[in-house]
Amino acid sequence: MAFIDDLTIHIKAGNGGNGVVRWLHERGKELAGPSGGNGGNGGDVYVLAIRDLGILEKYRNVKELSSPRGSDGLKNSMHGRNGDDLVIELPIGSVITDSRTKRQYNLTTDGERILILKGGRGGLGNEHFKSSTNITPTQFTPGRDGEEADFHIELELVADAGLIGLPNAGKSSLLNALTNADAKVGNYQFTTLEPNLGALKGGFILADIPGLIEGASEGKGLGHKFLRHIKRTKRVLHLISLENTAIIETYKTIRNELKQYGQGLDEKEETIILTKTDMVEEKVVKAAIKKLEKFNKDILTITVLDDMEIKKLNDEIVKRLRK
Ligand SMILES: Nc1nc2c(ncn2[C@@H]2O[C@H](COP(=O)(O)OP(=O)(O)OP(=O)(O)O)[C@@H](O)[C@H]2O)c(=O)[nH]1
Ligand SMILES: [Mg+2]
């Protein structure tokens, strides 16, 4: 199943029902008085945040969504029925943009519900126009049109911390070890083609995104587009594999890509995590820490092969996120 995180749908709120011209019929009297009811209002359109990242899949082939119109007014002064509201379920983290007005709606918490389009008001029936000078009104008004627009829906994962680093740094392996996620892992670059999420023990959400390379800001590799998924995280976990001999260059490359992306990514709190400690001697680990400390003193180390270390790392990350 492909991960959909971007789509455009035309959405329309229901039109109002028309007001009508009707007359009271009394015995022996042709037009005893106006009795045309008002039209019902068209249904409104809401978006509702739910905890299900996969729900966007449901809208993959949907081009248009709409709420029903109001019914026309009825005889005997009865109003037409209002159209039901349409409630569109979207994952928490969705940003919904009206393509024309550029107005944005953010769904950030579970159960949050936002009105995005108003249904049209129902028209007025002829009874409404009755007055002492107008006892047989033939006026009525049609229902108003409901609002409509093209909406662009984007998902910005709401994660507490994001895993970043070069391809093959061990990001997905670490996500799998720390959380319930089941991300694809491979000994080659760009194994991860779409973002993955998992929950740490302690309830925080971790995001794994495709690897970055030098020039990602110019579109190299998978480019920058996944960085927006860590825009809202509190902290970045910067993974550097100890297989790597050019530790500082690697560190600077990724820092530079964060800077190029802008939007505050390079100002986020950062924890460096040196991965694959099992593949090198301890003195290599120590040397790497010493070199990196000039840039950031918050450095942890891990191998995914050791369950105890994973448990400790979980606690260290949670401790930082609670701060
Ligand atoms: N020995 C050892 N191998 C590891 C460790 N962590 C990850 N690996 C291996 O490193 C390779 C890359 O791991 P991934 O988790 O796919 O790396 P990634 O950073 O997600 O890579 P991309 O998705 O391509 O950006 C895989 O072959 C993993 O099995 C570790 O702690 N020790
Ligand atoms: Mg990966």
Side-chain angles (χ1 to χ4, degrees):
M1 183 176 93
F3 184 91
I4 296 195
D5 63 352
D6 188 357
L7 52 125
T8 301
I9 308 180
H10 186 78
I11 308 176
K12 180 170 183 345
N15 294 339
N18 299 325
V20 294
V21 177
R22 298 285 184 276
W23 304 102
L24 286 172
H25 295 282
E26 283 172 18
R27 207 178 289 254
K29 221 173 162 192
E30 201 29 44
L31 302 177
S35 75
N38 299 339
N41 298 329
D44 296 333
V45 180
Y46 292 84
V47 285
L48 172 70
I50 65 165
R51 203 173 278 285
D52 177 3
L53 285 176
I55 188 126
L56 283 182
E57 184 71 19
K58 200 171 102 179
Y59 305 108
R60 181 204 277 279
N61 296 313
V62 173
K63 293 278 163 283
E64 188 165 317
L65 290 170
S66 57
S67 54
R69 74 185 286 274
S71 310
D72 293 342
L74 300 163
K75 62 182 181 184
N76 300 328
S77 312
M78 289 200 296
H79 285 195
R81 206 177 109 72
N82 291 336
D84 289 336
D85 294 338
L86 171 68
V87 179
I88 302 172
E89 294 184 332
L90 295 172
I92 303 170
S94 297
V95 180
I96 301 108
T97 312
D98 182 323
S99 301
R100 196 172 48 83
T101 64
K102 303 295 171 211
R103 184 147 180 212
Q104 275 196 342
Y105 307 89
N106 278 289
L107 292 176
T108 53
T109 51
D110 201 4
E112 189 174 1
R113 193 176 136 114
I114 307 175
L115 176 72
I116 58 165
L117 294 171
K118 283 286 296 165
R121 291 279 304 268
L124 300 168
N126 67 334
E127 190 188 7
H128 175 88
F129 295 93
K130 181 172 75 177
S131 70
S132 55
T133 54
N134 188 5
I135 53 171
T136 55
T138 54
Q139 295 102 313
F140 71 99
T141 60
R144 299 267 179 89
D145 286 344
E147 297 173 335
E148 62 186 298
D150 281 330
F151 284 92
H152 186 222
I153 302 167
E154 257 186 319
L155 185 58
E156 283 182 8
L157 302 177
V158 186
D160 300 292
L163 297 167
I164 54 163
L166 291 186
N168 236 6
K171 300 179 295 296
S172 303
S173 304
L174 190 58
L175 180 82
N176 289 348
L178 285 167
T179 74
N180 49 350
D182 185 18
K184 191 172 164 198
V185 165
N187 192 16
Y188 48 88
Q189 299 208 334
F190 305 117
T191 310
T192 302
L193 298 174
E194 51 202 38
N196 300 302
L197 282 191
L200 288 170
K201 287 168 197 74
F204 292 101
I205 303 290
L206 210 54
D208 165 38
I209 60 171
L212 293 170
I213 58 170
E214 182 169 4
S217 45
E218 293 137 30
K220 294 225 177 96
L222 291 177
H224 255 173
K225 73 177 188 119
F226 295 105
L227 276 178
R228 69 184 156 84
H229 291 304
I230 59 167
K231 244 166 43 186
R232 296 189 190 171
T233 62
K234 253 170 75 179
R235 178 174 289 271
V236 291
L237 306 177
H238 185 159
L239 269 57
I240 304 174
S241 164
L242 286 162
E243 291 170 298
N244 218 308
T245 46
I247 295 274
I248 299 297
E249 288 73 12
T250 300
Y251 177 76
K252 285 185 177 164
T253 299
I254 299 294
R255 292 303 309 174
N256 189 45
E257 292 308 321
L258 293 185
K259 192 162 169 203
Q260 294 303 322
Y261 187 84
Q263 307 202 38
L265 280 198
D266 65 329
E267 285 151 34
K268 285 188 188 297
E269 294 172 88
E270 175 196 59
T271 300
I272 297 174
I273 302 180
L274 296 170
T275 62
K276 313 194 193 180
T277 53
D278 58 287
M279 292 182 75
V280 296
E281 287 179 50
E282 200 174 330
K283 64 175 191 222
V284 175
V285 182
K286 285 203 172 124
I289 293 176
K290 202 154 171 223
K291 283 190 220 161
L292 283 166
E293 270 176 347
K294 291 193 201 94
F295 301 93
N296 180 355
K297 290 204 162 38
D298 186 17
I299 304 173
L300 302 171
T301 60
I302 192 70
T303 164
V304 294
L305 305 181
D306 184 333
D307 288 349
M308 272 310 287
E309 278 201 30
I310 287 293
K311 202 167 163 306
K312 266 200 302 202
L313 183 68
N314 183 91
D315 296 345
E316 286 294 331
I317 297 171
V318 168
K319 195 167 86 191
R320 284 163 177 74
L321 292 173
R322 284 232 170 90
K323 264 205 298 218

